[in-house]
Coordinates of all heavy atoms in Angstrom, one line a residue:
M1 N 73.5 -131.5 14.6 CA 72.2 -132.2 14.4 C 71.2 -131.8 15.5 O 70.1 -131.6 15.2 CB 72.5 -133.6 14.3 CG 71.2 -134.4 13.8 SD 71.4 -136.2 13.6 CE 73.0 -136.5 13.5
G2 N 71.8 -131.8 16.8 CA 70.9 -131.5 17.9 C 70.4 -130.1 17.8 O 69.2 -129.8 18.1
H3 N 71.2 -129.1 17.4 CA 70.8 -127.7 17.2 C 69.7 -127.6 16.2 O 68.7 -126.9 16.4 CB 72.0 -126.8 17.0 CG 71.6 -125.4 16.8 ND1 71.2 -124.6 17.8 CD2 71.6 -124.6 15.6 CE1 70.8 -123.4 17.3 NE2 71.1 -123.4 16.0
A4 N 69.9 -128.3 15.1 CA 68.9 -128.3 14.0 C 67.6 -128.8 14.5 O 66.5 -128.2 14.1 CB 69.4 -129.1 12.8
L5 N 67.6 -129.8 15.2 CA 66.4 -130.4 15.8 C 65.7 -129.4 16.7 O 64.5 -129.3 16.6 CB 66.7 -131.7 16.5 CG 65.6 -132.6 17.0 CD1 64.7 -133.1 15.8 CD2 66.1 -133.8 17.8
E6 N 66.4 -128.7 17.6 CA 65.9 -127.8 18.4 C 65.2 -126.6 17.6 O 64.1 -126.2 17.9 CB 66.9 -127.2 19.4 CG 67.4 -128.1 20.4 CD 68.6 -127.5 21.2 OE1 68.9 -126.3 21.0 OE2 69.3 -128.3 21.9
E7 N 65.9 -126.2 16.6 CA 65.4 -125.1 15.7 C 64.1 -125.6 15.0 O 63.2 -124.8 14.8 CB 66.4 -124.6 14.7 CG 67.6 -123.9 15.4 CD 67.1 -122.6 16.0 OE1 66.8 -121.7 15.3 OE2 67.2 -122.5 17.3
M8 N 64.1 -126.8 14.5 CA 62.9 -127.3 13.9 C 61.7 -127.3 14.8 O 60.6 -126.9 14.4 CB 63.1 -128.8 13.4 CG 64.0 -128.9 12.2 SD 64.5 -130.7 12.0 CE 63.0 -131.5 11.8
G9 N 61.9 -127.7 16.0 CA 60.9 -127.6 17.0 C 60.4 -126.3 17.4 O 59.3 -125.9 17.6
R10 N 61.4 -125.3 17.5 CA 61.1 -123.9 17.9 C 60.3 -123.2 16.8 O 59.4 -122.5 17.0 CB 62.4 -123.2 18.1 CG 62.2 -121.8 18.6 CD 63.4 -121.3 19.3 NE 64.5 -121.1 18.5 CZ 64.8 -119.8 17.9 NH1 64.0 -118.8 18.1 NH2 65.8 -119.7 17.2
H11 N 60.7 -123.4 15.5 CA 60.1 -122.6 14.4 C 58.9 -123.4 13.7 O 58.1 -122.7 13.2 CB 61.2 -122.3 13.3 CG 62.2 -121.4 13.8 ND1 62.0 -120.1 14.1 CD2 63.5 -121.6 14.1 CE1 63.1 -119.5 14.5 NE2 64.1 -120.5 14.5
G12 N 59.0 -124.7 13.8 CA 58.0 -125.5 13.0 C 58.3 -125.6 11.6 O 58.9 -124.7 10.9
L13 N 57.9 -126.7 10.9 CA 58.2 -126.9 9.5 C 57.4 -126.1 8.6 O 57.7 -126.2 7.4 CB 58.1 -128.5 9.3 CG 59.0 -129.3 10.1 CD1 58.8 -130.8 9.8 CD2 60.5 -129.0 9.7
A14 N 56.4 -125.4 9.0 CA 55.6 -124.6 8.2 C 56.3 -123.3 7.9 O 55.9 -122.5 6.9 CB 54.2 -124.3 8.7
T15 N 57.4 -123.0 8.6 CA 58.2 -121.8 8.4 C 59.5 -122.0 7.6 O 60.0 -123.1 7.6 CB 58.6 -121.1 9.8 OG1 59.6 -122.0 10.4 CG2 57.3 -120.9 10.6
E16 N 59.9 -121.0 7.0 CA 61.2 -121.1 6.2 C 62.3 -121.4 7.1 O 63.2 -122.3 6.8 CB 61.5 -119.8 5.5 CG 62.7 -119.9 4.5 CD 62.9 -118.7 3.7 OE1 61.9 -118.0 3.3 OE2 64.0 -118.4 3.3
A17 N 62.4 -120.9 8.3 CA 63.4 -121.2 9.3 C 63.4 -122.6 9.8 O 64.4 -123.3 10.0 CB 63.3 -120.2 10.5
G18 N 62.2 -123.1 9.9 CA 62.1 -124.5 10.4 C 62.4 -125.5 9.2 O 63.1 -126.5 9.5
R19 N 62.1 -125.1 8.0 CA 62.5 -126.0 6.9 C 64.1 -125.9 6.7 O 64.7 -126.9 6.4 CB 61.8 -125.6 5.6 CG 60.2 -126.0 5.7 CD 59.6 -125.8 4.3 NE 59.6 -124.4 3.8 CZ 58.8 -123.5 4.1 NH1 57.7 -123.8 4.9 NH2 58.9 -122.3 3.6
A20 N 64.6 -124.8 6.9 CA 66.1 -124.6 6.8 C 66.7 -125.5 7.9 O 67.8 -126.2 7.6 CB 66.6 -123.2 7.0
A21 N 66.2 -125.5 9.1 CA 66.7 -126.5 10.1 C 66.5 -127.9 9.8 O 67.4 -128.7 10.1 CB 66.0 -126.1 11.5
D22 N 65.4 -128.2 9.2 CA 65.2 -129.6 8.7 C 66.2 -130.0 7.7 O 66.8 -131.1 7.7 CB 63.8 -129.7 8.1 CG 63.3 -131.2 7.8 OD1 63.8 -132.0 8.5 OD2 62.5 -131.3 6.9
Q23 N 66.5 -129.1 6.8 CA 67.6 -129.3 5.8 C 69.0 -129.6 6.5 O 69.7 -130.5 6.1 CB 67.8 -128.1 4.9 CG 66.6 -128.0 3.9 CD 66.5 -129.2 3.0 OE1 67.4 -129.8 2.6 NE2 65.3 -129.5 2.6
A24 N 69.2 -128.7 7.5 CA 70.5 -128.9 8.2 C 70.5 -130.2 8.9 O 71.6 -130.9 8.9 CB 70.7 -127.7 9.2
F25 N 69.5 -130.6 9.5 CA 69.3 -131.9 10.2 C 69.7 -133.1 9.2 O 70.6 -133.9 9.5 CB 67.9 -132.1 10.8 CG 67.7 -133.3 11.5 CD1 68.1 -133.5 12.8 CD2 67.0 -134.5 10.9 CE1 67.8 -134.7 13.5 CE2 66.8 -135.6 11.5 CZ 67.2 -135.7 12.9
H26 N 69.0 -133.1 8.1 CA 69.2 -134.2 7.1 C 70.6 -134.1 6.4 O 71.2 -135.1 6.2 CB 68.0 -134.1 6.1 CG 66.8 -134.6 6.7 ND1 66.5 -135.9 6.9 CD2 65.7 -133.9 7.1 CE1 65.3 -136.1 7.4 NE2 64.8 -134.8 7.6
N27 N 71.1 -132.9 6.2 CA 72.4 -132.7 5.6 C 73.5 -133.3 6.6 O 74.4 -133.9 6.1 CB 72.7 -131.3 5.2 CG 72.0 -130.9 3.9 OD1 71.7 -131.7 3.1 ND2 71.8 -129.7 3.8
T28 N 73.3 -133.1 7.8 CA 74.3 -133.6 8.8 C 74.3 -135.1 8.8 O 75.3 -135.7 8.9 CB 73.9 -133.0 10.3 OG1 74.0 -131.6 10.2 CG2 74.9 -133.5 11.3
I29 N 73.1 -135.7 8.7 CA 73.0 -137.1 8.6 C 73.7 -137.6 7.4 O 74.5 -138.6 7.4 CB 71.5 -137.6 8.6 CG1 70.9 -137.3 10.0 CG2 71.5 -139.1 8.3 CD1 69.4 -137.5 10.0
L30 N 73.4 -137.0 6.3 CA 74.1 -137.4 5.0 C 75.6 -137.3 5.1 O 76.4 -138.2 4.6 CB 73.6 -136.6 3.8 CG 72.2 -136.9 3.4 CD1 71.7 -135.9 2.4 CD2 72.0 -138.3 2.9
E31 N 76.1 -136.2 5.6 CA 77.6 -135.9 5.8 C 78.2 -137.0 6.7 O 79.3 -137.5 6.4 CB 77.8 -134.6 6.2 CG 77.6 -133.5 5.2 CD 77.5 -132.1 5.8 OE1 78.0 -131.9 6.9 OE2 77.2 -131.2 5.0
S32 N 77.5 -137.3 7.8 CA 77.9 -138.2 8.8 C 78.0 -139.6 8.2 O 79.0 -140.4 8.7 CB 77.1 -138.2 10.0 OG 77.1 -136.9 10.6
A33 N 77.3 -140.0 7.3 CA 77.2 -141.3 6.8 C 78.4 -141.6 5.9 O 78.8 -142.7 5.7 CB 75.9 -141.6 6.0
R34 N 79.0 -140.6 5.4 CA 80.2 -140.7 4.6 C 80.0 -141.7 3.4 O 80.8 -142.4 3.1 CB 81.4 -141.1 5.4 CG 81.9 -140.0 6.4 CD 83.1 -140.3 7.0 NE 83.5 -139.2 7.9 CZ 83.8 -139.4 9.2 NH1 83.7 -140.6 9.8 NH2 84.1 -138.4 9.9
N35 N 78.8 -141.5 2.9 CA 78.4 -142.4 1.7 C 78.4 -141.5 0.5 O 77.6 -140.6 0.3 CB 77.0 -142.9 2.0 CG 76.5 -143.8 0.9 OD1 76.7 -143.6 -0.3 ND2 75.9 -144.9 1.3
G36 N 79.4 -141.7 -0.4 CA 79.6 -140.9 -1.6 C 78.3 -140.8 -2.5 O 78.0 -139.8 -2.9
A37 N 77.7 -141.9 -2.6 CA 76.5 -141.9 -3.4 C 75.4 -141.1 -2.8 O 74.7 -140.2 -3.6 CB 75.9 -143.4 -3.6
L38 N 75.2 -141.2 -1.6 CA 74.2 -140.3 -0.9 C 74.5 -138.8 -0.9 O 73.7 -138.0 -1.2 CB 74.0 -140.8 0.6 CG 73.1 -142.0 0.8 CD1 73.0 -142.3 2.2 CD2 71.8 -141.9 0.2
M39 N 75.9 -138.5 -0.8 CA 76.3 -137.2 -0.8 C 76.1 -136.5 -2.2 O 75.7 -135.4 -2.4 CB 77.7 -137.1 -0.4 CG 78.0 -137.2 1.1 SD 76.9 -136.1 2.1 CE 77.5 -134.5 1.6
A40 N 76.3 -137.4 -3.2 CA 76.0 -137.0 -4.6 C 74.5 -136.6 -4.8 O 74.2 -135.7 -5.6 CB 76.5 -138.0 -5.6
L41 N 73.7 -137.2 -4.1 CA 72.2 -137.0 -4.2 C 71.8 -136.0 -3.2 O 70.5 -135.7 -3.2 CB 71.5 -138.3 -4.0 CG 71.8 -139.4 -5.1 CD1 71.1 -140.7 -4.7 CD2 71.3 -138.9 -6.4
S42 N 72.7 -135.4 -2.4 CA 72.2 -134.6 -1.3 C 71.4 -133.4 -1.7 O 70.4 -133.0 -1.0 CB 73.4 -134.2 -0.4 OG 74.2 -133.3 -1.2
S43 N 71.7 -132.7 -2.8 CA 70.9 -131.6 -3.2 C 69.5 -132.1 -3.7 O 68.5 -131.4 -3.5 CB 71.6 -130.8 -4.3 OG 71.8 -131.5 -5.5
S44 N 69.4 -133.2 -4.3 CA 68.1 -133.8 -4.7 C 67.3 -134.1 -3.5 O 66.1 -133.9 -3.5 CB 68.3 -135.0 -5.7 OG 69.0 -134.6 -6.9
I45 N 67.9 -134.7 -2.6 CA 67.3 -135.2 -1.3 C 66.8 -133.9 -0.6 O 65.6 -133.8 -0.2 CB 68.1 -136.0 -0.4 CG1 68.5 -137.3 -1.1 CG2 67.6 -136.1 1.0 CD1 69.6 -138.2 -0.4
A46 N 67.6 -132.8 -0.6 CA 67.2 -131.6 0.1 C 66.0 -131.0 -0.6 O 65.0 -130.5 0.1 CB 68.4 -130.6 0.1
A47 N 66.0 -131.0 -1.9 CA 64.8 -130.4 -2.7 C 63.6 -131.2 -2.4 O 62.5 -130.7 -2.2 CB 65.2 -130.4 -4.2
A48 N 63.8 -132.5 -2.4 CA 62.5 -133.4 -2.1 C 62.0 -133.1 -0.8 O 60.7 -133.0 -0.6 CB 62.9 -134.9 -2.3
V49 N 62.8 -133.0 0.2 CA 62.4 -132.7 1.6 C 61.7 -131.4 1.7 O 60.6 -131.3 2.2 CB 63.6 -132.9 2.7 CG1 63.1 -132.4 4.0 CG2 64.0 -134.3 2.7
T50 N 62.3 -130.4 1.1 CA 61.8 -129.1 1.1 C 60.4 -128.9 0.4 O 59.4 -128.5 1.0 CB 62.7 -128.0 0.5 OG1 63.9 -128.0 1.3 CG2 62.2 -126.6 0.5
W51 N 60.4 -129.4 -0.8 CA 59.1 -129.3 -1.5 C 58.0 -130.2 -1.1 O 56.8 -129.8 -1.1 CB 59.4 -129.4 -3.1 CG 60.1 -128.2 -3.5 CD1 61.4 -128.1 -3.9 CD2 59.5 -126.9 -3.7 NE1 61.7 -126.8 -4.2 CE2 60.6 -126.1 -4.1 CE3 58.3 -126.4 -3.4 CZ2 60.4 -124.7 -4.3 CZ3 58.1 -125.0 -3.7 CH2 59.1 -124.2 -4.1
T52 N 58.3 -131.4 -0.6 CA 57.2 -132.1 0.0 C 56.7 -131.5 1.3 O 55.5 -131.6 1.5 CB 57.6 -133.6 0.2 OG1 58.7 -133.6 1.1 CG2 57.9 -134.3 -1.1
T53 N 57.5 -130.9 2.1 CA 57.1 -130.3 3.3 C 56.2 -129.1 2.9 O 55.2 -128.8 3.5 CB 58.3 -129.8 4.1 OG1 59.1 -131.0 4.5 CG2 57.8 -129.2 5.4
I54 N 56.6 -128.2 2.0 CA 55.9 -127.1 1.5 C 54.5 -127.6 1.0 O 53.5 -127.0 1.3 CB 56.6 -126.3 0.5 CG1 57.8 -125.5 1.1 CG2 55.7 -125.3 -0.2 CD1 58.8 -124.9 0.2
F55 N 54.5 -128.6 0.1 CA 53.3 -129.2 -0.4 C 52.3 -129.6 0.6 O 51.2 -129.3 0.6 CB 53.7 -130.3 -1.3 CG 52.5 -131.0 -2.0 CD1 51.8 -130.4 -3.0 CD2 52.0 -132.2 -1.4 CE1 50.7 -131.1 -3.5 CE2 50.9 -132.8 -2.0 CZ 50.3 -132.2 -3.0
K56 N 52.8 -130.3 1.7 CA 52.0 -130.9 2.8 C 51.4 -129.7 3.6 O 50.3 -129.9 4.1 CB 52.8 -131.7 3.7 CG 53.1 -133.1 3.0 CD 53.8 -134.0 3.9 CE 55.3 -133.7 4.0 NZ 56.1 -134.7 4.8
H57 N 52.0 -128.5 3.6 CA 51.5 -127.4 4.4 C 50.6 -126.4 3.6 O 50.1 -125.5 4.1 CB 52.6 -126.6 5.0 CG 53.2 -127.2 6.2 ND1 54.3 -128.1 6.2 CD2 52.8 -127.2 7.5 CE1 54.6 -128.4 7.4 NE2 53.7 -127.9 8.3
R58 N 50.5 -126.7 2.3 CA 49.9 -125.7 1.4 C 48.4 -125.3 1.7 O 48.0 -124.2 1.6 CB 50.0 -126.1 0.0 CG 49.0 -127.1 -0.5 CD 49.4 -127.6 -1.9 NE 48.4 -128.5 -2.4 CZ 48.0 -129.6 -2.1 NH1 48.7 -130.2 -1.0 NH2 47.1 -130.3 -2.6
R59 N 47.7 -126.3 2.3 CA 46.3 -126.0 2.5 C 45.9 -126.0 4.0 O 45.0 -125.4 4.4 CB 45.4 -127.1 1.8 CG 45.2 -126.9 0.4 CD 44.2 -127.8 -0.2 NE 44.8 -128.7 -1.2 CZ 44.3 -129.8 -1.6 NH1 43.2 -130.3 -1.0 NH2 44.9 -130.5 -2.5
Q60 N 46.7 -126.7 4.7 CA 46.4 -126.9 6.2 C 47.7 -127.3 6.9 O 48.7 -127.6 6.3 CB 45.3 -128.0 6.3 CG 45.8 -129.4 5.9 CD 44.9 -130.3 5.4 OE1 43.8 -129.8 4.9 NE2 44.9 -131.6 5.5
G61 N 47.5 -127.6 8.2 CA 48.7 -128.0 8.9 C 48.9 -129.5 8.6 O 48.1 -130.1 8.0
L62 N 50.0 -130.0 9.1 CA 50.3 -131.5 8.8 C 49.3 -132.3 9.6 O 48.8 -132.0 10.7 CB 51.7 -131.9 9.3 CG 52.8 -131.3 8.5 CD1 54.2 -131.6 9.2 CD2 52.9 -131.8 7.1
P63 N 49.0 -133.5 9.0 CA 48.0 -134.4 9.7 C 48.6 -135.0 11.0 O 47.8 -135.5 11.8 CB 47.8 -135.5 8.6 CG 49.0 -135.4 7.7 CD 49.5 -134.0 7.7
R64 N 49.9 -135.0 11.1 CA 50.6 -135.4 12.4 C 51.9 -134.7 12.6 O 52.4 -134.1 11.6 CB 50.9 -136.9 12.3 CG 51.8 -137.3 11.2 CD 52.2 -138.8 11.2 NE 53.3 -138.8 10.2 CZ 54.6 -138.4 10.5 NH1 54.9 -138.3 11.8 NH2 55.5 -138.4 9.6
D65 N 52.4 -134.7 13.7 CA 53.6 -134.0 14.1 C 54.8 -134.9 13.8 O 55.0 -135.9 14.3 CB 53.6 -133.6 15.6 CG 54.8 -132.9 16.0 OD1 55.6 -132.5 15.1 OD2 54.9 -132.7 17.2
P66 N 55.7 -134.5 12.8 CA 56.8 -135.3 12.5 C 58.0 -135.2 13.4 O 59.0 -135.9 13.3 CB 57.2 -134.9 11.1 CG 56.8 -133.4 11.1 CD 55.6 -133.3 11.9
M67 N 57.9 -134.3 14.4 CA 59.0 -134.1 15.3 C 59.4 -135.3 16.1 O 60.6 -135.6 16.3 CB 58.8 -132.8 16.2 CG 58.9 -131.5 15.4 SD 60.4 -131.3 14.5 CE 61.6 -131.3 15.9
P68 N 58.4 -136.1 16.7 CA 58.9 -137.2 17.4 C 59.6 -138.2 16.6 O 60.6 -138.9 17.1 CB 57.5 -137.9 17.9 CG 56.6 -136.7 18.0 CD 57.0 -135.8 16.8
D69 N 59.3 -138.3 15.3 CA 60.1 -139.2 14.4 C 61.6 -138.7 14.2 O 62.5 -139.5 14.2 CB 59.4 -139.3 13.1 CG 57.9 -139.7 13.2 OD1 57.7 -140.7 13.9 OD2 57.2 -139.1 12.5
H70 N 61.7 -137.4 14.0 CA 63.0 -136.8 14.0 C 63.8 -137.0 15.3 O 65.0 -137.3 15.2 CB 62.9 -135.3 13.6 CG 62.6 -135.1 12.2 ND1 61.3 -135.1 11.7 CD2 63.3 -134.7 11.1 CE1 61.3 -134.9 10.4 NE2 62.5 -134.6 10.0
R71 N 63.2 -136.8 16.4 CA 63.8 -137.0 17.6 C 64.3 -138.5 17.9 O 65.3 -138.7 18.4 CB 62.9 -136.6 18.8 CG 62.8 -135.1 19.0 CD 62.0 -134.7 20.3 NE 61.7 -133.3 20.2 CZ 60.5 -132.8 19.8 NH1 59.5 -133.7 19.4 NH2 60.2 -131.6 19.7
A72 N 63.4 -139.4 17.4 CA 63.8 -140.9 17.6 C 65.0 -141.1 16.7 O 65.9 -141.9 17.1 CB 62.6 -141.7 17.2
L73 N 65.0 -140.6 15.5 CA 66.2 -140.7 14.7 C 67.4 -140.1 15.3 O 68.5 -140.8 15.4 CB 66.0 -140.1 13.3 CG 67.1 -140.2 12.3 CD1 67.5 -141.6 12.1 CD2 66.8 -139.5 11.0
Y74 N 67.3 -139.0 15.8 CA 68.5 -138.3 16.5 C 68.9 -139.2 17.7 O 70.2 -139.4 17.8 CB 68.0 -136.9 17.0 CG 69.1 -136.3 17.8 CD1 70.2 -135.6 17.2 CD2 68.9 -136.2 19.2 CE1 71.1 -135.0 18.0 CE2 69.9 -135.6 20.0 CZ 71.0 -135.0 19.4 OH 71.9 -134.4 20.1
D75 N 68.0 -139.7 18.5 CA 68.4 -140.5 19.6 C 69.1 -141.8 19.2 O 70.1 -142.2 19.8 CB 67.1 -140.9 20.4 CG 66.5 -139.7 21.2 OD1 67.2 -138.6 21.3 OD2 65.3 -139.7 21.6
A76 N 68.6 -142.4 18.2 CA 69.3 -143.6 17.7 C 70.7 -143.3 17.2 O 71.6 -144.1 17.5 CB 68.5 -144.3 16.5
I77 N 70.9 -142.3 16.5 CA 72.2 -141.9 16.0 C 73.1 -141.6 17.2 O 74.3 -142.1 17.2 CB 72.1 -140.7 15.0 CG1 71.5 -141.2 13.7 CG2 73.5 -140.1 14.7 CD1 71.1 -140.0 12.7
V78 N 72.7 -140.7 18.1 CA 73.4 -140.4 19.2 C 73.9 -141.6 20.1 O 75.0 -141.8 20.6 CB 72.7 -139.3 20.2 CG1 73.4 -139.2 21.5 CG2 72.7 -138.0 19.4
A79 N 73.0 -142.6 20.2 CA 73.1 -143.9 20.9 C 74.2 -144.7 20.2 O 74.6 -145.7 20.7 CB 71.9 -144.5 21.1
G80 N 74.5 -144.4 18.9 CA 75.4 -145.2 18.1 C 74.8 -146.6 17.7 O 75.5 -147.6 17.7
D81 N 73.5 -146.6 17.4 CA 72.7 -147.8 17.1 C 72.4 -147.7 15.6 O 71.3 -147.2 15.3 CB 71.5 -147.9 18.0 CG 70.8 -149.2 17.9 OD1 71.0 -149.9 16.8 OD2 70.0 -149.5 18.8
P82 N 73.3 -148.2 14.7 CA 72.9 -148.1 13.3 C 71.6 -148.8 12.9 O 71.0 -148.3 12.0 CB 74.1 -148.6 12.6 CG 74.9 -149.4 13.7 CD 74.5 -148.9 15.0
A83 N 71.4 -149.9 13.5 CA 70.2 -150.7 13.2 C 68.9 -149.9 13.5 O 68.0 -149.8 12.7 CB 70.2 -152.0 13.9
A84 N 68.9 -149.4 14.7 CA 67.8 -148.5 15.1 C 67.7 -147.2 14.2 O 66.5 -146.8 13.9 CB 67.8 -148.1 16.6
A85 N 68.8 -146.7 13.9 CA 68.8 -145.4 13.1 C 68.3 -145.8 11.7 O 67.5 -145.0 11.1 CB 70.2 -144.9 13.0
R86 N 68.7 -146.9 11.1 CA 68.2 -147.3 9.7 C 66.7 -147.6 9.9 O 65.9 -147.1 9.0 CB 68.9 -148.6 9.3 CG 68.5 -149.0 7.9 CD 69.2 -150.3 7.5 NE 70.7 -150.3 7.7 CZ 71.3 -150.9 8.6 NH1 70.7 -151.7 9.5 NH2 72.7 -150.8 8.7
E87 N 66.3 -148.3 10.9 CA 64.8 -148.6 11.0 C 64.0 -147.3 11.2 O 62.9 -147.1 10.6 CB 64.6 -149.5 12.2 CG 63.2 -149.9 12.4 CD 63.0 -150.9 13.6 OE1 63.9 -151.7 13.8 OE2 62.1 -150.8 14.4
T88 N 64.5 -146.4 12.0 CA 63.8 -145.2 12.3 C 63.8 -144.3 11.0 O 62.8 -143.6 10.8 CB 64.5 -144.4 13.5 OG1 64.6 -145.3 14.6 CG2 63.7 -143.2 13.8
M89 N 64.9 -144.2 10.3 CA 64.9 -143.4 9.1 C 63.9 -144.0 8.0 O 63.2 -143.3 7.4 CB 66.2 -143.3 8.5 CG 66.3 -142.5 7.2 SD 65.7 -140.8 7.3 CE 67.3 -140.0 7.7
T90 N 63.9 -145.3 7.9 CA 62.9 -146.0 7.0 C 61.5 -145.5 7.4 O 60.7 -145.2 6.5 CB 63.1 -147.5 7.1 OG1 64.4 -147.7 6.7 CG2 62.1 -148.2 6.2
E91 N 61.2 -145.6 8.7 CA 59.8 -145.2 9.2 C 59.5 -143.7 8.9 O 58.5 -143.3 8.5 CB 59.7 -145.5 10.6 CG 58.3 -145.3 11.2 CD 57.2 -146.2 10.7 OE1 57.4 -147.0 9.7 OE2 56.0 -146.0 11.0
L92 N 60.5 -142.9 9.1 CA 60.4 -141.5 8.9 C 60.1 -141.2 7.4 O 59.1 -140.4 7.1 CB 61.7 -140.7 9.2 CG 61.7 -139.1 9.1 CD1 60.9 -138.6 10.2 CD2 63.1 -138.7 9.1
V93 N 60.7 -141.9 6.5 CA 60.4 -141.7 5.1 C 59.1 -142.2 4.7 O 58.3 -141.6 3.9 CB 61.6 -142.3 4.3 CG1 61.2 -142.4 2.8 CG2 62.9 -141.6 4.4
R94 N 58.8 -143.4 5.3 CA 57.4 -144.1 5.0 C 56.3 -143.1 5.5 O 55.4 -142.8 4.8 CB 57.3 -145.4 5.8 CG 56.0 -146.1 5.4 CD 55.8 -147.3 6.3 NE 55.4 -147.0 7.7 CZ 54.2 -146.4 8.0 NH1 53.3 -146.3 7.1 NH2 53.9 -146.1 9.3
L95 N 56.5 -142.5 6.7 CA 55.4 -141.6 7.2 C 55.4 -140.3 6.4 O 54.3 -139.8 6.1 CB 55.7 -141.3 8.7 CG 55.5 -142.5 9.6 CD1 55.9 -142.2 11.0 CD2 54.0 -142.9 9.6
A96 N 56.6 -139.8 5.9 CA 56.5 -138.7 5.1 C 55.7 -138.9 3.8 O 55.0 -138.0 3.3 CB 57.9 -138.2 4.8
L97 N 56.0 -140.0 3.2 CA 55.2 -140.4 2.1 C 53.7 -140.5 2.3 O 52.9 -140.0 1.5 CB 55.7 -141.7 1.4 CG 54.9 -142.3 0.2 CD1 55.1 -141.3 -1.0 CD2 55.5 -143.6 -0.2
A98 N 53.4 -141.1 3.4 CA 51.9 -141.3 3.8 C 51.3 -139.8 3.9 O 50.2 -139.6 3.5 CB 51.8 -142.1 5.0
D99 N 52.1 -138.9 4.6 CA 51.6 -137.6 4.8 C 51.4 -136.9 3.5 O 50.4 -136.1 3.3 CB 52.5 -136.8 5.7 CG 52.6 -137.2 7.1 OD1 51.7 -137.9 7.5 OD2 53.5 -136.8 7.8
T100 N 52.3 -137.1 2.5 CA 52.2 -136.4 1.2 C 51.0 -137.0 0.5 O 50.3 -136.2 -0.2 CB 53.6 -136.7 0.5 OG1 54.6 -136.1 1.2 CG2 53.4 -136.0 -0.9
E101 N 50.8 -138.2 0.6 CA 49.7 -138.8 -0.2 C 48.3 -138.3 0.5 O 47.4 -138.1 -0.3 CB 49.7 -140.4 0.0 CG 50.9 -141.0 -0.9 CD 51.0 -142.4 -0.7 OE1 50.6 -143.0 0.3 OE2 51.7 -143.1 -1.5
L102 N 48.3 -138.1 1.8 CA 47.1 -137.6 2.5 C 46.9 -136.2 2.0 O 45.7 -135.8 1.8 CB 47.3 -137.7 4.0 CG 46.1 -137.5 4.9 CD1 45.1 -138.7 4.6 CD2 46.5 -137.5 6.4
A103 N 48.0 -135.4 1.9 CA 47.9 -134.0 1.4 C 47.3 -133.9 0.0 O 46.8 -132.9 -0.3 CB 49.2 -133.3 1.6
M104 N 47.5 -134.9 -0.8 CA 47.0 -134.9 -2.1 C 45.6 -135.1 -2.3 O 45.0 -134.9 -3.3 CB 47.8 -136.0 -2.9 CG 49.3 -135.7 -3.1 SD 50.3 -136.9 -3.8 CE 49.5 -137.1 -5.5
R105 N 44.9 -135.7 -1.2 CA 43.5 -135.9 -1.4 C 42.7 -134.6 -1.4 O 43.1 -133.7 -0.7 CB 43.0 -136.7 -0.2 CG 43.6 -138.1 -0.1 CD 43.1 -138.9 1.0 NE 43.7 -140.2 0.9 CZ 43.8 -141.0 2.0 NH1 43.2 -140.7 3.2 NH2 44.4 -142.1 2.0
P106 N 41.7 -134.6 -2.1 CA 40.8 -133.3 -2.1 C 40.2 -133.0 -0.9 O 40.0 -133.7 0.0 CB 39.8 -133.6 -3.3 CG 39.9 -135.0 -3.6 CD 41.1 -135.5 -3.0

């Protein structure tokens, strides 16, 4: 997960390599959770992450840098703090939705 985070930062999410690293980051989280229902949805989650990221970059750069949110999630997981990880992931998803909605405006 740490390596994927580094690659995301190095390549940026506007690139295919950066998006592949983002996928690896999120897949590692899903695998680590050992939640069968989430794992069954992992390909759908991966598609949603990939296509919303591409959509948000289609006309311009992102309205904000999502890397600090990813780093905060990584830090919470590494610290073994499930409550902080849950809260951080919820915020990451909320902000991704807000970014997508912003990208939809003309």
Side-chain angles (χ1 to χ4, degrees):
M1 187 180 343
H3 177 70
L5 187 62
E6 289 173 10
E7 292 295 295
M8 288 166 60
R10 184 161 70 95
H11 295 289
L13 295 176
T15 69
E16 188 173 330
R19 288 190 300 274
D22 190 29
Q23 289 297 327
F25 179 83
H26 289 281
N27 283 337
T28 301
I29 292 169
L30 290 171
E31 290 168 7
S32 299
R34 295 190 176 120
N35 181 318
L38 283 179
M39 286 306 299
L41 295 172
S42 64
S43 62
S44 297
I45 293 168
V49 169
T50 297
W51 286 106
T52 56
T53 301
I54 290 169
F55 176 78
K56 290 183 280 189
H57 280 94
R58 77 189 191 289
R59 283 191 240 156
Q60 66 210 26
L62 289 176
R64 62 174 191 85
D65 181 6
M67 288 305 297
D69 306 314
H70 285 78
R71 283 188 196 96
L73 177 58
Y74 174 78
D75 291 343
I77 292 170
V78 168
D81 187 343
R86 183 180 310 108
E87 181 179 321
T88 305
M89 180 57 94
T90 300
E91 183 66 0
L92 183 75
V93 170
R94 187 191 70 73
L95 290 170
L97 176 60
D99 290 346
T100 302
E101 289 171 346
L102 195 63
M104 291 170 62
R105 293 183 185 162

